[in-house]
Amino acid sequence: MTTQTAQTEYALEVRDLYVGYYKDLNILQGVNMKARRGQLTAILGANGVGKSTLLKAIFGFLKPNAGDVFLNGQRINDVPTYQRITLGLAYIPQRMSIFRWMSVEDNILLGGWTFRHDKERLQRKLEENFERFPILREKRRQPAGELSGGQQRMVELARTLMTDPQVLLVDEPTAGLAKLLKREVYDMLTELRDREGKTIILVDQEIRHALRIADYVYILDLGRNKTEGPTAEIVADLKKAFWI
Amino acid sequence: MVATLLHFVPAQMWLITPEFILRLLAEGLLIGLIYSLMALGLTLIFSVLGIVSFSHGEFYMIGGYVVYLFLQKFQNSLPRALTGIGALLAAMLVTFAIGVVFERLFLQPMARGEVDRPNEYAILTTFGLAFFLQYLMLGLMGPFPKKARRFFDLPVFDAGLIQATKASLKIGNITLGAGRLIAGLIALLALLAMLYFMFKTWTGRALQATSQDRQAAAVVGINPMNMNTLAFGLGAMLAGLAGAVLVSVYSWVPWVGVIASSKSFVIIVLGGMGSIPGSLLGGLIIGVVESLGTGLFPDPVRAQAYRDVFGLVIFALVLLVKPTGLFGRKL
Ligand SMILES: Nc1ncnc2c1ncn2[C@@H]1O[C@H](COP(=O)(O)OP(=O)(O)O)[C@@H](O)[C@H]1O
Ligand SMILES: [Mg+2]
């Protein structure tokens, strides 16, 4: 047995999760999920089945009533939410989560909160992000709330990447974006996986796009697992079912 | 006939000279700076914790009493300026500490979601603290007004147009009392320091971040609970400092905070709930309007009693035109 936790095959694992917004009302009723390291795992399903709820529970914004969340093989149920970024777990929620009235630059810099005393690293990561998103450099003094939807997503992504998280939870990143921008966002996600080996858990309504880039797929149905499998198998099943 | 007409002419009409108006303006601005300071504290609490603190005036009251007691104890053993600085620091420290302890004990359970009706809970606990502090000080200090002596002197100089004695400053024909002048200047310094803190330091930005998106703050690693405690402590401290600089201007009783508190509410609503520039501008406006209103009101006897009404009139007018206040947004 290895002590190197970072080498577990699965970067993230959810076991038999029961969670909800009110006592005694579980939205998720025994969900299981495993995300293989360095792969993109997509979580699909109709509106309201509990995909966002699952990500909130993984990040700790919702306390599980039962079940466990493991990161690199370690149970993290009891780790406070604000400490999860230090474990290399990052979260981009479905609704826009920028600091609206702060400048773009301050938004991105706040992504480096956990290493705020390391000026040199802050500058380096900021610079990296400006190279990744040149438009953000141009608009760095503007309040982030004034940017377009696509650019606000870029601010979120840039802020998230400041700490080089190993596992990213991403909830419907392209909802409401223009077609061209959607493509860009998906390309960015695949790049993060292929170049930097990041583990990505992507929740999406854009089934077609998600299937194009995912390695493994889970389909949820009203708070429970419905199907899962490598993308190719799922696509074949779907084709059979819908003749698409 | 002439007598009836005369009745409507301000009794102190002969006093209304440009100098008089300038003095009213200056005094209004000075007191307005202190209002701004208090309102900034309330705004900070509102933006980060999402509650309106009903004990804000009592922190103001405590700040004043701490200065009064500190001066009593050390007036003769320390140099004058040092006593003054010590008194202010003591007031800030005590109010900050009370704020922090109260927030940890009573408001954290609400922030953790352990309370069923958070809005009612916040009102009741902060009101409870207000009454507790009022009766505590009534027990400790008695009901009779106290007034601290002025604890800083102006540097004495004579530069022709501007002359200063220990107790007053004369610019041209306008004379300002040292008490108010120094109170206003300290408030100005504190405001500048707070602005620097909020916009230029990491902790200040973390407070802003928490107020703008609590979840996103936690996502980047900021502990929102600590920000709640800090915001409440700082908010209490600003109110405490406002009281500390005014205890040598007004006389102090255990319920002196009630009016100060309602003024702060008026200012933050006027400025736009949760806006820093709003609370700064709102404080200055209320200060100036009160000062001009009181000074120019035809019947000087009633003018003092109407003091708080003038601010409310402006308040009502602004809200009629712009219901969100001057700057309706968060931090
Ligand atoms: N903040 C909330 N409070 C109460 N119920 C919620 C909340 N958010 C979502 N729900 C409920 O939880 C269920 C799952 O929602 P969600 O996880 O957002 O679905 P999805 O992301 O799959 O569209 C829905 O029935 C929704 O009504
Ligand atoms: Mg969703």
Side-chain angles (χ1 to χ4, degrees):
Chain A
M1 192 180 150
T2 169
T3 50
Q4 188 75 24
T5 51
Q7 292 312 315
T8 49
E9 182 181 3
Y10 294 101
L12 188 86
E13 183 176 352
V14 171
R15 263 187 226 159
D16 219 15
L17 197 67
Y18 288 77
V19 69
Y21 296 88
Y22 307 103
K23 277 175 228 145
D24 315 318
L25 185 64
N26 286 318
I27 300 284
L28 299 188
Q29 304 187 336
V31 167
N32 288 283
M33 199 262 307
K34 286 176 172 185
R36 209 179 284 269
R37 186 174 306 287
Q39 291 202 345
L40 196 154
T41 305
I43 299 172
L44 308 178
N47 220 338
V49 297
K51 305 182 297 295
S52 296
T53 304
L54 175 59
L55 291 199
K56 285 182 217 166
I58 294 174
F59 200 75
F61 282 126
L62 292 172
K63 281 256 159 296
N65 293 322
D68 296 303
V69 179
F70 296 90
L71 184 70
N72 300 321
Q74 284 188 337
R75 187 174 174 277
I76 58 165
N77 290 40
D78 303 319
V79 178
T81 304
Y82 71 93
Q83 284 175 10
R84 295 191 182 200
I85 190 70
T86 58
L87 302 177
L89 181 64
Y91 173 42
I92 302 182
Q94 179 170 359
R95 56 167 189 88
M96 208 59 82
S97 70
I98 48 156
F99 306 119
R100 303 182 54 87
W101 290 287
M102 297 174 84
S103 71
V104 167
E105 183 168 320
D106 282 352
N107 263 273
I108 300 175
L109 280 174
L110 272 169
W113 170 259
T114 49
F115 58 91
R116 59 191 173 281
H117 302 300
D118 187 345
K119 284 219 171 74
E120 188 268 331
R121 184 171 165 203
L122 279 172
Q123 271 316 310
R124 182 159 44 81
K125 298 305 288 183
L126 181 67
E127 190 55 33
E128 256 179 54
N129 270 311
F130 280 153
E131 265 155 40
R132 203 181 269 130
F133 309 101
I135 184 76
L136 295 187
R137 188 200 299 275
E138 250 171 68
K139 305 204 164 184
R140 66 185 184 279
R141 306 244 171 270
Q142 273 188 37
E146 288 177 4
L147 270 53
S148 72
Q151 289 164 356
Q152 292 190 13
R153 277 289 181 213
M154 286 182 202
V155 172
E156 275 185 317
L157 207 53
R159 190 182 69 199
T160 305
L161 293 176
M162 285 292 281
T163 46
D164 279 318
Q166 282 314 298
V167 181
L168 281 101
L169 311 171
V170 189
D171 198 344
E172 299 202 23
T174 61
L177 298 193
K179 223 175 181 174
L180 217 69
L181 272 171
K182 284 186 193 201
R183 215 183 170 95
E184 236 174 87
V185 171
Y186 289 117
D187 286 349
M188 198 140 357
L189 290 179
T190 41
E191 219 168 273
L192 285 171
R193 171 192 60 189
D194 299 340
R195 286 233 201 107
E196 303 181 31
K198 299 206 186 297
T199 309
I200 298 173
I201 292 99
L202 171 70
V203 161
D204 220 323
Q205 298 270 5
E206 308 265 352
I207 297 182
R208 208 180 281 266
H209 279 288
L211 289 177
R212 189 170 55 78
I213 61 174
D215 300 296
Y216 198 88
V217 179
Y218 284 87
I219 297 180
L220 298 189
D221 191 14
L222 281 184
R224 295 203 170 81
N225 289 67
K226 187 179 180 191
T227 7
E228 63 174 272
T231 309
E233 275 178 30
I234 295 286
V235 170
D237 285 356
L238 283 176
K239 275 193 177 144
K240 253 186 277 168
F242 297 106
W243 300 281
I244 49 174
Chain B
M1 179 69 183
V2 173
T4 332
L5 270 182
L6 270 180
H7 186 73
F8 291 101
V9 175
Q12 81 285 34
M13 187 62 145
W14 54 275
L15 257 176
I16 304 180
T17 57
E19 282 83 15
F20 179 64
I21 300 216
L22 278 176
R23 184 170 68 86
L24 290 180
L25 265 177
E27 280 182 359
L29 283 174
L30 288 174
I31 212 78
L33 285 167
I34 298 160
Y35 291 167
S36 300
L37 191 64
M38 251 195 108
L40 180 60
L42 198 59
T43 287
L44 191 60
I45 294 171
F46 173 76
S47 325
V48 175
L49 285 87
I51 65 164
V52 173
S53 166
F54 287 92
S55 45
H56 208 57
E58 279 56 43
F59 285 107
Y60 166 89
M61 179 268 290
I62 295 281
Y65 274 123
V66 170
V67 165
Y68 176 82
L69 291 170
F70 190 96
L71 292 181
Q72 257 197 344
K73 190 147 177 56
F74 296 105
Q75 205 142 36
N76 300 318
S77 50
L78 289 173
R80 201 166 145 80
L82 214 61
T83 328
I85 292 172
L88 292 180
L89 289 178
M92 289 164 72
L93 204 73
V94 168
T95 44
F96 181 79
I98 298 176
V100 163
V101 170
F102 173 76
E103 199 280 336
R104 281 274 139 163
L105 288 181
F106 292 98
L107 297 180
Q108 292 264 313
M110 179 190 72
R112 281 196 300 267
E114 291 164 6
V115 174
D116 276 339
R117 296 169 146 247
N119 294 327
E120 289 87 337
Y121 178 86
I123 294 172
L124 288 177
T125 45
T126 55
F127 248 124
L129 177 67
F131 284 128
F132 171 75
L133 292 176
Q134 276 182 32
Y135 284 102
L136 179 73
M137 292 321 279
L138 185 63
L140 291 177
M141 304 297 299
F144 305 109
K146 310 272 189 223
K147 191 164 175 185
R149 287 206 295 145
R150 185 162 46 77
F151 43 90
F152 290 115
D153 288 332
L154 292 176
V156 178
F157 66 90
D158 183 346
L161 202 63
I162 304 176
Q163 298 166 5
T165 67
K166 276 186 178 182
S168 67
L169 181 77
K170 219 174 151 205
I171 307 170
N173 288 327
I174 306 161
T175 308
L176 294 169
R180 276 164 198 253
L181 189 65
I182 288 166
L185 289 180
I186 293 172
L188 181 63
L189 280 181
L191 285 171
L192 293 176
M194 271 310 285
L195 288 180
Y196 179 85
F197 170 74
M198 288 304 292
F199 292 101
K200 295 288 174 201
T201 69
W202 276 94
T203 313
R205 284 191 211 127
L207 283 168
Q208 286 186 62
T210 310
S211 95
Q212 292 174 23
D213 191 324
R214 207 175 166 74
Q215 279 206 353
V219 165
V220 300
I222 296 165
N223 182 346
M225 291 301 182
N226 285 352
M227 290 302 136
N228 279 14
T229 309
L230 181 64
F232 199 86
L234 284 176
M237 186 189 86
L238 293 180
L241 182 59
V245 297
L246 282 185
V247 69
S248 62
V249 178
Y250 298 139
S251 40
W252 226 244
V253 285
W255 44 90
V256 71
V258 175
I259 298 247
S261 180
S262 60
K263 246 170 227 175
S264 310
F265 296 145
V266 165
I267 292 166
I268 69 168
V269 176
L270 176 68
M273 295 288 276
S275 156
I276 290 179
S279 52
L280 301 187
L281 191 63
L284 294 180
I285 290 176
I286 296 288
V288 167
V289 167
E290 276 184 9
S291 176
L292 288 178
T294 315
L296 299 178
F297 194 72
D299 180 349
V301 181
R302 269 185 254 160
Q304 274 306 325
Y306 289 164
R307 179 168 203 95
D308 303 320
V309 175
F310 302 115
L312 288 175
V313 170
I314 288 294
F315 172 69
L317 288 179
V318 168
L319 289 195
L320 274 178
V321 181
K322 198 161 185 296
T324 53
L326 298 170
F327 302 78
R329 71 166 184 81
K330 289 189 131 197
L331 282 191

Short mmCIF file of all heavy atoms in Angstrom, two decimals, chain B residues 28 59 87 97 111 135 152 162 176 186 189 210 213-214 234 238 250 282 287 320 331:
data_model
loop_
_atom_site.label_atom_id
_atom_site.label_comp_id
_atom_site.label_asym_id
_atom_site.label_seq_id
_atom_site.Cartn_x
_atom_site.Cartn_y
_atom_site.Cartn_z
N GLY B 28 -21.06 71.91 10.54
CA GLY B 28 -21.84 70.80 10.00
C GLY B 28 -20.93 69.73 9.40
O GLY B 28 -21.14 68.53 9.59
N PHE B 59 -22.47 51.19 21.39
CA PHE B 59 -21.01 51.18 21.27
C PHE B 59 -20.47 52.61 21.28
O PHE B 59 -19.43 52.90 21.86
CB PHE B 59 -20.57 50.44 20.00
CG PHE B 59 -20.71 48.95 20.12
CD1 PHE B 59 -21.71 48.27 19.44
CD2 PHE B 59 -19.85 48.21 20.92
CE1 PHE B 59 -21.86 46.90 19.57
CE2 PHE B 59 -19.97 46.84 21.05
CZ PHE B 59 -20.99 46.18 20.38
N ALA B 87 -6.65 57.47 25.73
CA ALA B 87 -8.10 57.37 25.94
C ALA B 87 -8.80 56.88 24.67
O ALA B 87 -9.67 56.01 24.71
CB ALA B 87 -8.66 58.72 26.35
N ALA B 97 -13.42 44.83 21.39
CA ALA B 97 -13.45 43.57 22.14
C ALA B 97 -14.90 43.15 22.43
O ALA B 97 -15.27 41.99 22.25
CB ALA B 97 -12.65 43.70 23.43
N ALA B 111 -25.14 32.82 11.82
CA ALA B 111 -24.40 32.71 10.57
C ALA B 111 -24.18 31.25 10.19
O ALA B 111 -24.09 30.92 9.01
CB ALA B 111 -23.06 33.42 10.71
N TYR B 135 -28.22 49.60 30.59
CA TYR B 135 -28.47 49.44 32.03
C TYR B 135 -27.18 49.17 32.79
O TYR B 135 -27.03 49.59 33.93
CB TYR B 135 -29.53 48.36 32.27
CG TYR B 135 -30.89 48.89 31.94
CD1 TYR B 135 -31.53 48.58 30.75
CD2 TYR B 135 -31.50 49.80 32.81
CE1 TYR B 135 -32.76 49.14 30.43
CE2 TYR B 135 -32.73 50.37 32.51
CZ TYR B 135 -33.35 50.03 31.31
OH TYR B 135 -34.55 50.59 31.00
N PHE B 152 -7.34 67.30 23.85
CA PHE B 152 -6.23 67.77 23.01
C PHE B 152 -6.32 69.28 22.89
O PHE B 152 -7.41 69.84 22.85
CB PHE B 152 -6.30 67.18 21.59
CG PHE B 152 -6.02 65.71 21.52
CD1 PHE B 152 -6.99 64.81 21.13
CD2 PHE B 152 -4.75 65.23 21.85
CE1 PHE B 152 -6.73 63.46 21.06
CE2 PHE B 152 -4.48 63.88 21.79
CZ PHE B 152 -5.47 62.98 21.40
N ILE B 162 -5.20 83.13 9.75
CA ILE B 162 -5.56 82.00 10.59
C ILE B 162 -4.84 82.11 11.93
O ILE B 162 -3.62 82.21 11.98
CB ILE B 162 -5.15 80.67 9.91
CG1 ILE B 162 -5.79 80.59 8.52
CG2 ILE B 162 -5.57 79.49 10.76
CD1 ILE B 162 -5.37 79.38 7.74
N LEU B 176 -13.94 78.55 15.30
CA LEU B 176 -14.40 77.18 15.54
C LEU B 176 -13.83 76.70 16.87
O LEU B 176 -12.65 76.92 17.16
CB LEU B 176 -13.91 76.25 14.43
CG LEU B 176 -14.49 76.50 13.04
CD1 LEU B 176 -13.73 75.71 12.00
CD2 LEU B 176 -15.96 76.14 13.02
N ILE B 186 -10.00 63.97 13.93
CA ILE B 186 -9.74 62.57 14.29
C ILE B 186 -10.65 61.66 13.46
O ILE B 186 -10.21 60.63 12.93
CB ILE B 186 -9.97 62.33 15.79
CG1 ILE B 186 -8.91 63.08 16.59
CG2 ILE B 186 -9.91 60.84 16.12
CD1 ILE B 186 -9.15 63.09 18.09
N LEU B 189 -9.21 61.40 10.01
CA LEU B 189 -8.07 60.48 9.97
C LEU B 189 -8.55 59.03 10.00
O LEU B 189 -8.07 58.18 9.24
CB LEU B 189 -7.16 60.72 11.18
CG LEU B 189 -6.19 61.89 11.08
CD1 LEU B 189 -5.34 61.98 12.34
CD2 LEU B 189 -5.31 61.71 9.85
N THR B 210 -16.28 39.11 0.92
CA THR B 210 -17.30 38.39 1.68
C THR B 210 -18.65 39.07 1.55
O THR B 210 -19.68 38.42 1.44
CB THR B 210 -16.90 38.31 3.16
OG1 THR B 210 -15.56 37.82 3.24
CG2 THR B 210 -17.81 37.38 3.93
N ASP B 213 -19.90 38.36 -2.30
CA ASP B 213 -20.31 36.99 -2.60
C ASP B 213 -19.68 36.06 -1.57
O ASP B 213 -18.52 35.67 -1.68
CB ASP B 213 -19.88 36.59 -4.02
CG ASP B 213 -20.53 35.27 -4.43
OD1 ASP B 213 -20.69 34.39 -3.58
OD2 ASP B 213 -20.88 35.14 -5.62
N ARG B 214 -20.49 35.73 -0.58
CA ARG B 214 -20.01 34.98 0.56
C ARG B 214 -19.46 33.61 0.15
O ARG B 214 -18.42 33.16 0.62
CB ARG B 214 -21.19 34.81 1.50
CG ARG B 214 -20.82 34.65 2.90
CD ARG B 214 -22.06 34.60 3.78
NE ARG B 214 -21.63 34.11 5.06
CZ ARG B 214 -20.94 34.86 5.92
NH1 ARG B 214 -20.67 36.12 5.65
NH2 ARG B 214 -20.52 34.35 7.05
N LEU B 234 -14.93 45.70 14.07
CA LEU B 234 -14.53 47.00 13.50
C LEU B 234 -15.68 47.98 13.49
O LEU B 234 -15.51 49.17 13.81
CB LEU B 234 -14.02 46.81 12.06
CG LEU B 234 -12.64 46.23 11.90
CD1 LEU B 234 -12.33 46.02 10.42
CD2 LEU B 234 -11.59 47.14 12.52
N LEU B 238 -15.67 51.59 15.32
CA LEU B 238 -15.87 52.90 14.69
C LEU B 238 -16.92 53.71 15.45
O LEU B 238 -16.76 54.92 15.66
CB LEU B 238 -16.27 52.73 13.22
CG LEU B 238 -15.19 52.13 12.33
CD1 LEU B 238 -15.68 51.99 10.90
CD2 LEU B 238 -13.92 52.97 12.36
N TYR B 250 -20.33 66.87 23.78
CA TYR B 250 -21.69 66.73 24.32
C TYR B 250 -21.63 66.16 25.73
O TYR B 250 -20.65 65.54 26.11
CB TYR B 250 -22.52 65.78 23.46
CG TYR B 250 -22.71 66.24 22.04
CD1 TYR B 250 -22.63 65.33 21.00
CD2 TYR B 250 -22.98 67.57 21.73
CE1 TYR B 250 -22.81 65.73 19.68
CE2 TYR B 250 -23.17 67.97 20.42
CZ TYR B 250 -23.08 67.05 19.40
OH TYR B 250 -23.27 67.44 18.11
N GLY B 282 -23.45 60.54 2.98
CA GLY B 282 -24.67 60.66 3.78
C GLY B 282 -24.40 61.35 5.11
O GLY B 282 -25.15 62.23 5.54
N GLY B 287 -24.96 66.05 8.53
CA GLY B 287 -24.28 67.01 9.41
C GLY B 287 -24.52 68.45 8.98
O GLY B 287 -24.89 69.31 9.79
N LEU B 320 -37.65 59.86 -1.79
CA LEU B 320 -38.74 60.04 -2.75
C LEU B 320 -38.21 60.00 -4.16
O LEU B 320 -38.80 59.41 -5.06
CB LEU B 320 -39.43 61.40 -2.52
CG LEU B 320 -40.54 61.41 -1.47
CD1 LEU B 320 -41.09 62.82 -1.32
CD2 LEU B 320 -41.65 60.46 -1.89
N LEU B 331 -20.71 47.33 -0.45
CA LEU B 331 -19.30 47.72 -0.24
C LEU B 331 -18.55 48.12 -1.51
O LEU B 331 -17.88 47.38 -2.14
CB LEU B 331 -18.51 46.60 0.45
CG LEU B 331 -18.72 46.48 1.94
CD1 LEU B 331 -17.71 45.53 2.55
CD2 LEU B 331 -18.61 47.83 2.64
#
